[in-house]
Amino acid sequence: MIHLIVGGARSGKSRFAEHCAAEFAAKGYECHYLATAQALDEETQQRISRTDWIQLCHGRRMKWVLNW
């Protein structure tokens, strides 16, 4: 099953996608999550740095990593 989540900048796409991935993972599904952004300014660069390390999902700390 593949889900594509699209929307405008800062519209909550990542939060929604991470929530969905955590729910599917809790049900035993293998999940892959990919978020893209261009760090065109300092604020966006800081937001990317914060989100690509550890997120809090359903009370659990989850590390999101990029696998090639």
Side-chain angles (χ1 to χ4, degrees):
M1 179 178 354
I2 297 173
H3 291 99
L4 173 64
I5 300 166
V6 297
R10 301 190 67 175
S11 63
K13 296 178 301 294
S14 293
R15 181 176 292 145
F16 178 72
E18 291 164 7
H19 174 78
C20 291
E23 284 191 349
F24 281 113
K27 294 177 182 178
Y29 291 96
E30 181 177 342
C31 297
H32 300 273
Y33 168 77
L34 173 67
T36 63
Q38 291 181 320
L40 300 176
D41 58 31
E42 180 72 25
E43 179 187 1
T44 305
Q45 191 171 30
Q46 289 175 357
R47 291 179 74 238
I48 292 170
S49 295
R50 285 194 304 267
T51 59
D52 67 2
W53 177 236
I54 294 178
Q55 294 289 333
L56 184 64
C57 293
H58 297 290
R60 296 181 298 156
R61 291 171 68 84
M62 300 179 75
K63 181 176 179 182
W64 301 98
V65 296
L66 177 62
N67 294 312
W68 290 95

